[in-house]
């Protein structure tokens, strides 16, 4: 007991609340620790206790899952819900709301909820208190019955400052979204090339792929702002929206330019384009969708509209139209038509296309390129008409055109085909026209455009002529007339066939001889003309046999030469025939005439008898048209010409050319060589100037024995004494005197004077040297041996149109030849 004196003992009484007020007594008894003395003291303590409940009622708008339902709203919008809190207990309590993220992963992110008031004292037995819960998301949020709102209940009677006696979780369901949209087609909308004055429409579809309605506004580009102004400028969704029905931007009209689209809905927006001035058009528009993510194009979704305004136009460049054909001037047109390759040529000066080398009855085809020079398609009407003043029937079956209409895409081309089929050997002409069709949809009047040129052609027939022999029978048939030969002897005469026509001509040569005394062999020119035709196919498709004799093909101006032999085996008049079938269903016959004899006495090598003598008129019985062989006892003295002297003088108009002799006489049966010298100190090109030579007959006034040949080059030379004499010399010094020979006196025969034209052409230029090899590396060479390298290939260009390279030797030879000029 002594140990317990002066010490206090706390007594803890634990009382279980049962909702009732209770009174009880405590009877403490005091004894020593070892209970030796027993109970030494007993006390009675009265204890009274009041038992109560903390009762908080929370009333809220519940969703289907029992949570506080905010539904779906746009980001940056807000929505408010109201809780009703009531203290149904006997004593005052305090509430305090606490917000949690609902997920530990989100950390301490700013809460999209605000509670007002967040905490307060609830008086007992008082009406409910309203507590506002505001949902104001700044980003997309999705909560589904999440206990993120905690209501703490504080018992104010428990201890100092109260005691939290309960924490009530409030489940929240809320969703915040941005507007989701789709725009088809994607930017840019290109109307492409359009004809000026026409209209074109395209449709733009704006689709709402989000969960809420959104509004759209189409506007032009806003004015440029500084970065500071952009930061302080109102956001897209705060801009005042236009109420106009359509927006016009340049040549584009957009309608509607504003509206609202519900979830899953679409809005069709028409864009009309009416291009004006020619050229490219481009406009930048912006499509503003409400409640979009502000980081995504804050000024609006950029959208570009483009178009190109054009007028159809045909390309008029002849090098394009006639790209498949050579183009020439009308200088030396005949020579051009003979030398040109292919079946056509365009003459620029005459604006004429000429079909060349077309045989009568055969067809030639020409293709002309019609090009669209603009980016828009164009329609073209084609026609072929007779020349003004001539009936169309003249060309109705001669020229054909295909097609007569064509539609050409932008910056593209098409070909017009013209066929030419001459019916006769004559010249045909027509007018080809390609006319641009004005688009009916265009409100702009277009200037008519046409491509016009003359198409012409001449029907040609094969013109193989017998150039040798020149002898013709009474019927006009060429005749090869051989000599009267002793049996066993032979004679050879030439046969020359020449193509004097324009078109290449094919023919064959057949010798027809019953007695077997005439033979023929082709010379080199004939061998070069051999042409093996392509194999033809029969009706079954199998190749036919090649012809036994190949064709001969001669181009314009070419000749084929043959040697025709006569070797008689019979003592009688012999004849044969050479038949030449020519393409075009014509043929040429050459008669062969000879005679064999077996006489014991002959006269040979008589003057006037040539091996190839071909007389202009056949001897014999013309009434029966019988041509005899050439008789060996016939001496021909030929034609004796009257003696006349010609006087000539070159009339020079160009100082670059010098003629020597310039003036002179030309004796009967004589010729003079005229030397033409060209001298120029500067490069010059001379294209076909003409020089005239005046010619006249003259009669000498001197006796024939005193007449001499003369021209202005002739000089006389003699040595004459001078007044000077060397010291000690007995004779004076002589000097050489050269004088021109005077022209013999003469008179010009009346009305015998005329002029002959000579055409000259030349090109004077500097020589050029080109050496491709810079270093020549010779092989290793032993002493006193020679090594030649062929690596060095110099070229000397002496000027002129042909150019060409020459060796060093040829260069110096050319320099020496031209050294006097």
């Amino acid at each position: 007991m002594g140990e317990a004196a002066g010490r206090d003992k706390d007594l803890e009484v634990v009382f279980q609340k049962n909702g009732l007020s209770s009174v009880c007594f405590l009877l403490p008894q005091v004894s020593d620790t070892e209970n030796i003395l027993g109970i030494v003291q007993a006390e009675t303590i009265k204890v009274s206790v009041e038992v109560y409940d903390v009762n908080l009622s929370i009333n809220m708008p519940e969703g289907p899952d029992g949570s506080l339902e905010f539904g779906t709203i746009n980001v940056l919008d807000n929505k408010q819900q109201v809780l009703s809190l009531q203290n149904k207990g006997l004593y005052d309590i305090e509430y305090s709301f606490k917000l949690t993220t609902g997920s530990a992963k989100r950390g301490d992110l700013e809460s999209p909820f605000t509670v007002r008031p967040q905490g307060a004292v609830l008086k007992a037995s008082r009406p409910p208190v309203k507590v506002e819960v505001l949902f104001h998301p700044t980003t997309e949020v999705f909560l589904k019955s999440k206990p993120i709102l905690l209501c703490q209940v504080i018992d104010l009677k428990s201890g100092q400052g109260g005691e939290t006696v309960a924490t009530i979780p409030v489940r929240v369901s809320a969703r915040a979204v941005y507007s989701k949209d789709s725009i088809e087609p994607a930017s840019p909308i290109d109307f492409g090339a359009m004809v000026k004055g026409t209209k074109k429409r395209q449709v733009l579809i704006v689709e709402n792929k989000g969960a809420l309605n959104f509004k759209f506004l189409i506007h032009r580009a806003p004015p440029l702002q500084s970065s500071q102004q952009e930061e302080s400028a109102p956001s897209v969704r705060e801009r005042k929206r236009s109420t106009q029905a359509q927006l016009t931007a340049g040549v584009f009209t957009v309608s509607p330019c504003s509206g609202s689209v519900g979830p899953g809905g679409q809005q069709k927006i028409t864009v009309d384009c009416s291009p004006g001035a020619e050229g490219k058009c481009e406009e930048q528009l912006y499509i503003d969708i409400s409640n979009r993510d502000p980081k995504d194009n804050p000024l609006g979704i950029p959208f570009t509209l483009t178009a190109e305004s054009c007028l159809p136009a045909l390309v008029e460049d002849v090098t394009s139209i006639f790209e498949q054909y050579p183009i020439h001037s009308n200088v030396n047109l005949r020579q051009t038509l003979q030398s040109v390759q292919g079946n056509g040529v365009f003459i620029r000066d005459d604006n004429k296309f000429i079909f060349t080398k077309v045989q009568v009855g055969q067809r030639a085809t020409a293709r002309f390129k019609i090009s669209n020079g603009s980016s828009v398609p164009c329609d073209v009407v084609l026609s072929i008409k007779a020349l003004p003043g001539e009936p169309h029937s003249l060309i109705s079956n001669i020229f054909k055109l295909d097609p007569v209409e064509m539609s050409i895409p932008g910056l593209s081309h098409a070909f017009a085909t013209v066929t030419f089929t001459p019916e006769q050997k004559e010249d045909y002409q027509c007018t080809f026209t390609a006319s641009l069709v004005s688009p009916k949809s265009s409100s702009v009047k277009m200037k008519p455009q046409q491509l016009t040129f003359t198409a012409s052609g001449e029907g040609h027939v094969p013109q193989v002529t017998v150039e040798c022999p020149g002898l013709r029978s009474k019927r006009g048939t060429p005749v090869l007339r051989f000599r009267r030969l002793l049996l066993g002897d032979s004679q050879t005469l030439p046969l020359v066939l020449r193509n004097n026509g324009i078109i290449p001509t094919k023919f064959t040569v057949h010798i027809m001889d019953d007695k077997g005394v005439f033979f023929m062999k082709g010379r080199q020119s004939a061998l070069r003309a051999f042409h093996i035709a392509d194999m033809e196919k029969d009706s079954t498709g199998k190749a036919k046999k090649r012809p036994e004799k190949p064709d001969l093909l001669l181009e314009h101006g070419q000749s084929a030469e043959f040697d025709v032999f006569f070797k008689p085996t019979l003592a009688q008049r012999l004849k044969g025939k050479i038949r030449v079938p020519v393409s075009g269903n014509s043929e040429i016959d050459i008669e062969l005439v000879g005679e064999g004899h077996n006489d014991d006495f002959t006269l040979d090598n008589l003057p006037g008898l040539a091996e190839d003598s071909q007389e202009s008129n056949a001897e014999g019985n013309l009434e029966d048209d019988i041509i005899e062989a050439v008789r060996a006892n016939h001496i021909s003295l030929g034609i004796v010409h009257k003696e006349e002297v010609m006087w000539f003088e070159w009339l020079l108009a160009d100082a670059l050319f010098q003629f020597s002799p310039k003036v002179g006489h030309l004796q009967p049966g004589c010729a003079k060589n005229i030397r033409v010298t060209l001298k120029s100190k500067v490069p010059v090109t001379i294209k076909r100037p003409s020089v005239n030579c005046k010619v006249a007959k003259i009669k000498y006034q001197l006796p024939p024995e005193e007449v001499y040949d003369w021209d202005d080059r002739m000089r006389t030379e003699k040595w004459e004494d001078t007044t000077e004499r060397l010291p000690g010399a007995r004779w004076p010094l002589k000097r050489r005197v050269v004088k021109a020979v005077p022209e013999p006196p003469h008179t010009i025969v009346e009305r015998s004077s005329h002029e002959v034209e000579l055409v000259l052409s030349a090109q004077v230029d500097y020589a050029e040297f080109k050496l491709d090899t810079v270093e020549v590396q010779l092989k290793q060479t032993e002493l006193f041996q020679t090594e030649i390298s062929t690596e060095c290939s110099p070229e000397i260009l002496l000027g002129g149109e042909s150019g060409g390279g020459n060796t060093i030797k040829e260069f110096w030879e050319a320099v020496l030849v031209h050294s006097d000029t």
Side-chain angles (χ1 to χ4, degrees), residues 6-26:
R7 296 177 61 185
D8 293 331
K9 183 72 171 181
D10 292 332
L11 179 64
E12 179 178 355
V13 179
V14 178
F15 185 76
Q16 180 80 29
K17 293 182 179 179
N18 58 9
L20 299 175
S21 298
S22 302
V23 177
C24 62
F25 294 91
L26 296 178

Side-chain angles (χ1 to χ4, degrees), residues 236-258:
V236 174
R237 59 187 45 78
E238 293 175 350
R239 295 188 186 131
K240 182 179 180 181
R241 295 189 172 270
S242 172
T243 58
Q244 60 183 359
Q246 66 182 23
L247 172 66
T248 300
V251 299
F252 305 100
T253 300
V254 182
S255 175
C257 59
S258 62

